Amino acid sequence: MRILIADDHDLVREMMAAYLERDCGAKVVQSSSFDDAMAEIARSGAFDLVLLDYRMPGMRGLEGLHAALEASQGKPVALISGTADKTIAEEALAAGAAGFLPKTMSARSMSNAVRFMTMGETYVPIDFMTAKETENPALAHLTPRERQVLEGIKKGQSNKEIALDHDIQEVTVKLHVKTLCRKMGAKNRTQAAMMARDQEMV
């Protein structure tokens, strides 16, 4: 069994590879970026299973999944993630992914999932798909308008662009930025954008 694991978190990738080699007797090839993974598929041919981290460099979300599926010539490709929610898992399965593995799952469950997917089955943890969505606590203190402004900041929009998008005055956007930064404990809009991105807030 040949498996390709692509993840930019070295420790996670190496632990997964070591366990699958020991527990499943698999030959595991590792890549630290999506581009490296695609180059490996092109060089070595299709693997029995490809595991892609949803947020690694170059992945571009489901766009990367589509490219990997095409390159794998019908062989299974699955997503692994520590942050993606069940909506993304559902979209990935609908797009043709063989499965979705949260990084929180146990090593034993992961090896069972890998065996399952290499046999042509689709795998996703039932408890992950049935868990109720919980709102990020940092968002609870923000008003709906502040959330819209934060989303604009996260996208790199200027105050003027955010104002045009939501049909409000630029001075109002400035006020919202100041207020949401205070509520989030951010020193400025750049830090607020980084916090929103890192914490999956919007």
Side-chain angles (χ1 to χ4, degrees):
M1 189 193 305
R2 295 173 63 245
I3 298 174
L4 173 63
I5 300 177
D7 192 320
D8 60 320
H9 294 97
D10 295 346
L11 185 60
V12 172
R13 186 184 69 245
E14 288 165 6
M15 285 178 66
M16 287 179 68
Y19 193 85
L20 292 176
E21 285 176 341
R22 185 177 73 246
D23 198 56
C24 298
K27 175 177 170 50
V28 180
V29 176
Q30 302 180 44
S31 295
S32 58
S33 72
F34 178 73
D35 290 342
D36 285 350
M38 292 298 285
E40 190 62 53
I41 294 171
R43 182 167 56 249
S44 306
F47 287 78
D48 295 309
L49 176 65
V50 174
L51 298 174
L52 301 174
D53 177 37
Y54 181 69
R55 296 198 183 279
M56 70 178 153
M59 181 67 177
R60 298 180 301 279
L62 295 182
E63 189 178 324
L65 172 64
H66 284 294
L69 282 166
E70 190 173 328
S72 295
Q73 303 167 4
K75 294 281 190 177
V77 178
L79 292 185
I80 51 178
S81 179
T83 58
D85 58 23
K86 66 181 180 182
T87 302
I88 291 170
E90 288 167 351
E91 290 175 353
L93 294 174
F100 183 89
L101 308 183
K103 291 181 182 178
T104 51
M105 70 191 303
S106 70
R108 186 178 296 278
S109 295
M110 181 183 66
S111 62
N112 288 337
V114 164
R115 289 192 186 97
F116 206 61
M117 291 185 291
T118 54
M119 290 189 293
E121 302 293 339
T122 301
Y123 180 88
V124 64
I126 296 295
D127 57 351
F128 177 80
M129 296 305 285
T130 56
K132 290 184 177 179
E133 296 288 341
T134 55
E135 183 178 69
N136 189 307
L139 276 179
H141 303 296
L142 301 184
T143 65
R145 183 66 82 190
E146 285 165 354
R147 295 184 195 197
Q148 291 174 343
V149 171
L150 180 60
E151 187 173 1
I153 293 173
K154 183 184 169 187
K155 291 177 182 175
Q157 292 182 312
S158 67
N159 287 347
K160 186 174 182 180
E161 289 170 328
I162 296 170
L164 285 170
D165 275 359
H166 300 290
D167 196 25
I168 54 178
Q169 296 294 318
E170 189 175 347
V171 66
T172 306
V173 175
K174 286 181 182 177
L175 183 62
H176 284 313
V177 171
K178 186 176 179 181
T179 306
L180 69 86
C181 282
R182 178 175 52 77
K183 288 181 178 180
M184 293 171 64
K187 293 177 181 177
N188 50 46
R189 62 187 291 134
T190 303
Q191 188 178 19
M194 289 175 66
M195 289 171 69
R197 189 163 51 246
D198 291 346
Q199 298 175 34
E200 300 290 308
M201 288 175 65
V202 288

